[in-house]
Amino acid sequence: MNSAVVHPADIKDVSVAVRVSNQAAALDACLASLFVQTIGTDRLEVIGVDDGSTDESGSVLARAAHQYPSFVRVGQVTQGLSPAAARNWALSQVRGRYVIFLEAVDRLAPDALERMVAAADANEADVVLGKLESSGRHTVPTAMFRKNQPYTDAWSSRVYWSLSADKLFRTSLLHRRGLSFPTDMPIGDEQVFTAGAFIGADNVSVVGDAVCVVKGPAPANRATLSDRVALASRMLALVASQVPEGPRRDRLQARHLEVELGKATATALLSAADPAERDRTLWEAAEVLRTQATPGALALLPRMVAVRFALLAQGRLAEAQTMAAFEADKDRPAVRKTVEGGRVFTTLPFFRDPQVGLPDELFDITADMTVSHQLQKARWDGAMLLLDGYAFFEQLSTKDRATRVLLRERFTGAQESHAVTARRDDTLANAKGKTRAMGRFSARVNLAQTSSGWPLPPGTWDLYLSVSFEGVTQEVRLGTRRAPDLDSTARMPVRIADAPGAQGMELAATPYYAEDGGLTVEVAQRMPLPGRG
């Protein structure tokens, strides 16, 4: 970090660090995209760093600095093991409140910095992700950019699946966390830096409604498979050192197991590379799995990857190779499911193979079952709340239905359960077009008489669906997904019964849609309305 005195007049809103390494042909376009930023050059500084180029890259940077001396500064470093040294030099020069790191093959959309700085300021975000777009046939991450996210973090969204440094970082966060790019790694220095920022950020924002960064192709990577395994191990250790044990740590570690270790081991198992390198990579990976992978992180992985990892951890390389080939086979038949005792298992290779002895839990996909549901009608008939809609599992048939409507008091946990009536609808289907004909339901919820024989007592009663087919049950909030034509206008309270033990009082129910979108009924005791006594 730069320890020199910085005067207030020198502070910019944003610093753009551009690293170039023998990419002179692309550099002009990158710089041109910075000079036309709508945020204005008075709020911007560009820090260009030549990472040991032998082409005209240095000259292009020098020309830009001469043409725009007020906001372009350049430097040069000797090419090292990775781009880390160049990025660290740029970081030492930063005078902006925020900084973003680009490669010479990248470009910014004209309003990218204006949008990203505005998001950071409005949301007090320490890191802002601007939507990425590929400049060619290479792919870029997309899952985290499907919508704007003013307030999120590494644990409740997909932002951690993008660990490149092409983000807007609050400079004070980097100082506070002491973050820099490690220079001892042949690959992955951006991951260490960005992961540290995500973990330390008080808030992360996403600009997802417009492209901000147009990514150029990554340079050819000379990393070995062992390098990739070492990167996975380092990232697992970093997360373990900075995130307390529990679901948050598991989520971040699962990303590194799946992406870095998963890809490295699949390549090693399927490639015709040097057998000695392949075996060394696989044994190194097995050691990582045995010593660093937690059960919680492994449980979050796709089941095929989890099975492959279990085989590797046991030293069963031949079986792991079979599993990797099965994963890679695009023409394989659909994998069957086995439903037993309310659990769903995927019958992948080695499921209940007595010669291998993998546990059933490894194949358990019950938690992956997804419910499609919609409330389509909700109306009163006296004290009876009449509900219509549909609910079914995307992955299971609609036989052996046992779905029920639940009313649960928000503060005490008291619960009432009501059966539903199935109605056949041959047009009802899952996302793949497979029929779910018995997934439609109707329910008559009598608030005047509960299972105890008394009316529903005063309280805040949230409605749920306990969706149950083939013995598998999952609970969803009723009403969070509603038909577009469902009347959700606020209603007057509905009288349901005389108030037990309170002479001259009655119970009234008021339906409304809560903050989470679900249907709620507020039951309160009141004096009868005039003309009701």
Side-chain angles (χ1 to χ4, degrees):
M1 297 290 182
N2 187 7
S3 59
V5 175
V6 177
H7 299 286
D10 295 329
I11 297 175
K12 303 286 187 175
D13 278 332
V14 58
S15 301
V16 183
V18 180
R19 186 191 79 93
V20 58
S21 179
N22 293 320
Q23 297 157 316
L27 183 56
D28 275 323
C30 176
L31 294 174
S33 76
L34 304 182
F35 300 155
V36 298
Q37 286 296 300
T38 57
I39 197 171
T41 55
D42 58 324
R43 299 173 61 189
L44 164 71
E45 70 168 358
V46 177
I47 303 169
V49 53
D50 178 6
D51 192 0
S53 298
T54 56
D55 66 358
E56 295 301 311
S57 297
S59 298
V60 175
L61 285 178
R63 185 166 62 247
H66 178 74
Q67 187 173 359
Y68 303 102
S70 62
F71 70 99
V72 177
R73 288 177 292 131
V74 300
Q76 184 176 23
V77 298
T78 302
Q79 191 172 41
L81 183 66
S82 73
R87 292 175 179 138
N88 284 336
W89 183 87
L91 186 57
S92 74
Q93 303 298 306
V94 166
R95 295 185 298 198
R97 295 188 298 124
Y98 303 101
V99 58
I100 183 173
F101 297 88
L102 301 178
E103 296 294 297
V105 293
D106 301 334
R107 304 191 306 276
L108 292 184
D111 60 349
L113 295 180
E114 185 174 15
R115 283 176 171 273
M116 295 172 78
V117 169
D121 286 343
N123 307 320
E124 297 185 356
D126 288 320
V127 184
V128 177
L129 288 76
K131 186 174 183 177
L132 303 181
E133 180 179 83
S134 170
S135 64
R137 296 181 179 179
H138 57 283
T139 60
V140 295
T142 59
M144 60 292 300
F145 299 115
R146 290 172 182 159
K147 61 180 180 179
N148 285 344
Q149 298 181 70
Y151 305 101
T152 190
D153 53 46
W155 302 281
S156 56
S157 71
R158 295 284 292 184
V159 297
Y160 193 77
W161 268 248
S162 176
L163 290 178
S164 51
D166 44 25
K167 295 156 184 58
L168 197 71
F169 300 95
R170 187 180 294 273
T171 307
S172 60
L173 167 74
L174 307 182
H175 283 284
R176 185 173 74 250
R177 298 275 294 174
L179 295 178
S180 62
F181 296 87
T183 57
D184 61 338
M185 301 173 65
I187 57 171
D189 61 291
E190 285 183 274
Q191 288 200 21
V192 173
F193 180 86
T194 307
F198 276 143
I199 292 169
D202 290 329
N203 183 42
V204 176
S205 290
V206 177
V207 177
D209 62 350
V211 172
C212 292
V213 184
V214 180
K215 294 292 293 178
N221 201 311
R222 299 186 298 274
T224 66
L225 294 176
S226 288
D227 290 336
R228 297 186 182 280
V229 173
L231 172 59
S233 177
R234 179 146 176 175
M235 295 308 298
L236 291 171
L238 181 149
V239 171
S241 69
Q242 298 191 21
V243 182
E245 185 177 352
R248 287 186 167 191
R249 180 193 290 185
D250 291 340
R251 177 175 170 83
L252 302 194
Q253 288 194 330
R255 178 249 187 256
H256 296 294
L257 288 170
E258 180 180 355
V259 178
E260 281 81 49
L261 199 65
K263 291 181 178 179
T265 55
T267 301
L269 288 164
L270 297 175
S271 70
D274 174 58
E277 180 189 2
R278 179 196 63 205
D279 290 348
R280 181 173 62 255
T281 298
L282 294 174
W283 285 114
E284 289 170 348
E287 184 64 16
V288 170
L289 290 167
R290 286 191 291 266
T291 60
Q292 293 183 266
T294 64
L298 292 169
L300 297 175
L301 299 176
R303 292 299 84 194
M304 290 188 191
V305 177
V307 170
R308 170 156 50 92
F309 280 174
L311 295 168
L312 281 174
Q314 292 183 8
R316 294 181 176 273
L317 301 190
E319 290 85 352
Q321 188 174 40
T322 298
M323 190 66 224
F326 181 84
E327 293 176 71
D329 183 4
K330 303 302 182 185
D331 298 321
R332 64 174 183 268
V335 180
R336 294 185 300 106
K337 291 182 285 293
T338 296
V339 182
E340 291 180 358
R343 311 301 298 175
V344 185
F345 303 96
T346 179
T347 56
L348 294 170
F350 309 109
F351 175 60
R352 293 180 177 169
D353 184 333
Q355 301 301 315
V356 178
L358 296 178
D360 278 2
E361 301 84 72
L362 199 58
F363 300 85
D364 192 329
I365 56 172
T366 310
D368 297 331
M369 297 297 102
T370 54
V371 174
S372 290
H373 61 99
Q374 188 180 82
L375 178 62
Q376 298 179 311
K377 293 181 181 179
R379 57 191 176 87
W380 290 102
D381 181 7
M384 197 83 67
L385 180 58
L386 308 182
L387 304 170
D388 289 275
Y390 65 78
F392 55 81
F393 287 107
E394 281 286 317
Q395 303 92 334
L396 300 176
S397 74
T398 49
K399 67 182 181 181
D400 302 328
R401 178 189 56 79
T403 297
R404 300 183 72 84
V405 171
L406 306 178
L407 282 78
R408 183 174 299 132
E409 210 288 318
R410 187 177 298 174
F411 304 104
T412 68
Q415 183 169 290
E416 288 291 325
S417 176
H418 299 264
V420 304
T421 300
R423 295 190 290 111
R424 187 174 185 87
D425 181 353
D426 290 322
T427 67
L428 203 59
N430 69 1
K432 294 183 178 180
K434 294 184 178 180
T435 182
R436 296 291 184 263
M438 298 306 291
R440 192 168 293 283
F441 70 87
S442 297
R444 296 170 60 85
V445 180
N446 188 357
L447 303 188
Q449 187 174 13
T450 65
S451 57
S452 66
W454 297 97
L456 193 68
T460 303
W461 296 87
D462 296 321
L463 276 73
Y464 296 85
L465 274 177
S466 174
V467 183
S468 183
F469 293 96
E470 295 192 52
V472 180
T473 302
Q474 189 178 123
E475 196 174 283
V476 297
R477 186 79 160 90
L478 182 62
T480 52
R481 299 176 187 175
R482 307 190 290 270
D485 60 349
L486 180 67
D487 185 0
S488 57
T489 307
R491 297 296 182 187
M492 295 294 289
V494 175
R495 181 186 185 278
I496 59 174
D498 292 334
Q503 188 173 3
M505 302 293 284
E506 67 181 13
L507 295 174
T510 306
Y512 65 93
Y513 292 96
E515 188 174 342
D516 65 0
L519 180 60
T520 296
V521 175
E522 189 82 32
V523 178
Q525 188 172 280
R526 71 179 186 183
M527 293 287 290
L529 297 178
R532 290 269 193 178

